[in-house]
Amino acid sequence: MSPGGSEKRLSRREMLREGIQMATFLGVGGLVGFLAGKKASGDLLVWQIDPYKCIACGNCATHCVLDPSAVKCVNSFPMCGYCDLCTGYFPPEPLALNTGAENQLCPTGALIRKLVEEPYYEYTIDENLCIACGKCVVGCAAFGNGSLYLQVRHDRCLNCHQCSIAIACPSQAFVRLPASQPYLLKHLYKPSATL
């Protein structure tokens, strides 16, 4: 108290209540400011697969909440060898090098083989048929140059807060990326890059 006695003393209870109110006010204000800044900067995050960590285990086909999965195979054409005997397209010992279903590794026929000029073939993916089983990715990585890899397609993905495929991923290949750059293009991205 001051010598004149005009100041009011706060009780402990009043001081505690005012302290809690101030902390709540600052906390809510800080959260609103953080969210507003995040939205303004466009720093929303989306799920993606690191192609250098992915082991094409098949979980993308079976654990996605969507049917078929939002994960699809893609081909990095700058890396592709345009091989006649593509080990992502054909099983290890094909009966013949033609497009017969019995000669294809893909169970749905999603990988399409097209002659460019002898002896080069282009391999594209029909994403409507791709189920993300990863068989072509395993074949391409085992005997080829690894140009086939899996990626989350954001025109299909629901961007679940807790991705069920990411939870089931044995190699922890699922990462969060800024929505402004949602893809890891294998021919541009190197594993030493920081995510």
Side-chain angles (χ1 to χ4, degrees):
M1 247 189 187
S2 67
S6 62
E7 289 185 25
K8 179 184 172 188
R9 288 190 82 183
L10 295 175
S11 70
R12 274 189 211 191
R13 185 172 288 170
E14 290 171 323
M15 226 159 92
L16 185 60
R17 184 179 64 228
E18 285 184 16
I20 290 172
Q21 287 175 344
M22 181 59 78
T24 303
F25 175 75
L26 291 174
V28 169
L31 179 62
V32 168
F34 172 76
L35 292 175
K38 190 171 182 177
K39 187 173 183 181
S41 70
D43 203 12
L44 300 174
L45 299 176
V46 294
W47 290 104
Q48 194 48 265
I49 302 170
D50 181 335
Y52 291 100
K53 289 182 181 177
C54 176
I55 59 172
C57 64
N59 282 350
C60 290
T62 58
H63 284 78
C64 186
V65 297
L66 299 175
D67 185 26
S69 176
V71 173
K72 303 296 175 189
C73 178
V74 295
N75 192 356
S76 175
F77 290 108
M79 294 176 67
C80 184
Y82 296 88
C83 304
D84 183 16
L85 175 56
C86 172
T87 55
Y89 184 84
F90 293 108
E93 294 182 24
L95 299 173
L97 295 181
N98 62 44
T99 58
E102 67 277 4
N103 298 320
Q104 294 182 35
L105 189 58
C106 179
T108 63
L111 193 57
I112 300 164
R113 180 179 195 244
K114 179 181 170 187
L115 178 67
V116 176
E117 67 177 43
E118 203 57 51
Y120 302 107
Y121 288 83
E122 181 178 71
Y123 297 89
T124 57
I125 294 91
D126 181 342
E127 291 190 6
N128 292 321
L129 296 176
C130 181
I131 58 171
C133 67
K135 290 181 180 184
C136 60
V137 174
V138 171
C140 186
F143 302 106
N145 53 21
S147 68
L148 296 174
Y149 62 104
L150 296 172
Q151 288 282 268
V152 175
R153 303 307 276 176
H154 294 290
D155 59 336
R156 294 172 166 86
C157 181
L158 300 176
N159 199 30
C160 302
H161 174 67
Q162 193 62 283
C163 175
S164 58
I165 308 172
I167 293 169
C169 181
S171 63
Q172 298 174 345
F174 273 74
V175 295
R176 299 288 264 166
L177 297 176
S180 59
Q181 296 179 329
Y183 294 100
L184 293 174
L185 303 178
K186 197 169 183 180
H187 66 282
L188 298 176
Y189 161 69
K190 302 295 179 214
S192 60
T194 305
L195 294 179

